[in-house]
Amino acid sequence: MLKLKPLLISTVLFTLSAGQSFAADADNARAHFQAIAAGDMAEIMAHYAANAHLEWVGGPLDGAYNSSDAIQQVWSKFSTAQGNLQYTVNNLTEASNPKGSTVSAQVHFNGKNALNVSYILTYRAGKIVSEIWQVTPNPAK
């Protein structure tokens, strides 16, 4: 019976620490949105895994970007065109398991232009491996 207690304690500690790492991806997504709004290229690129993929749907940057260089170039173009942005995040959700997390959110960026973006980010080991930036039309007034 005494041998079970250390095993039980280890299992509980592992489960708790794993749960904490899952929740970190929602925070990682918020940091990613902040870096985009600030035009901080070094910070933006630090969020990606080496084999990341960005799918930009809609707008002038529409396309698939499959390398770090391509992703950096598209964010550089975006940042140059938009400048510093204000942003709000709505409906952020996270689904996680031991293999990774998917974070989705509605993000509104406001600067030279107002942009509504439906976001889906897939994380593995705390880094973005897949990103969908879906431009959504501004609601009719």
Side-chain angles (χ1 to χ4, degrees):
M1 186 87 174
L2 289 177
K3 290 183 179 184
L4 291 178
K5 285 186 180 181
L7 178 61
L8 178 61
I9 290 170
S10 295
T11 302
V12 169
L13 290 175
F14 174 77
T15 302
L16 289 175
S17 67
Q20 289 172 346
S21 68
F22 295 157
D25 289 328
D27 293 336
N28 290 341
R30 287 184 186 95
H32 189 60
F33 305 147
Q34 170 60 40
I36 291 166
D40 185 341
M41 292 306 301
E43 183 66 20
I44 291 169
M45 294 311 296
H47 297 155
Y48 290 99
N51 61 342
H53 173 81
L54 167 61
E55 191 73 35
W56 195 297
V57 183
L61 299 174
D62 182 85
Y65 303 92
N66 296 308
S67 69
S68 293
D69 287 343
I71 292 170
Q72 184 168 358
Q73 287 174 10
V74 77
W75 284 123
S76 181
K77 287 177 186 176
F78 177 80
S79 181
T80 299
Q82 295 298 322
N84 288 338
L85 302 164
Q86 298 296 316
Y87 72 103
T88 56
V89 178
N90 295 302
N91 304 323
L92 189 135
T93 62
E94 180 178 4
S96 298
N97 67 40
K99 298 291 186 178
S101 298
T102 299
V103 177
S104 63
Q106 300 298 312
V107 184
H108 176 78
F109 293 97
N110 196 17
K112 289 180 182 176
N113 296 298
L115 293 166
N116 293 307
V117 179
S118 294
Y119 237 114
I120 301 173
L121 297 160
T122 303
Y123 288 86
R124 290 187 184 268
K127 296 286 188 178
I128 298 168
V129 295
S130 177
E131 177 175 20
I132 297 173
W133 167 286
Q134 170 77 53
V135 177
T136 57
N138 290 327
K141 294 183 181 184

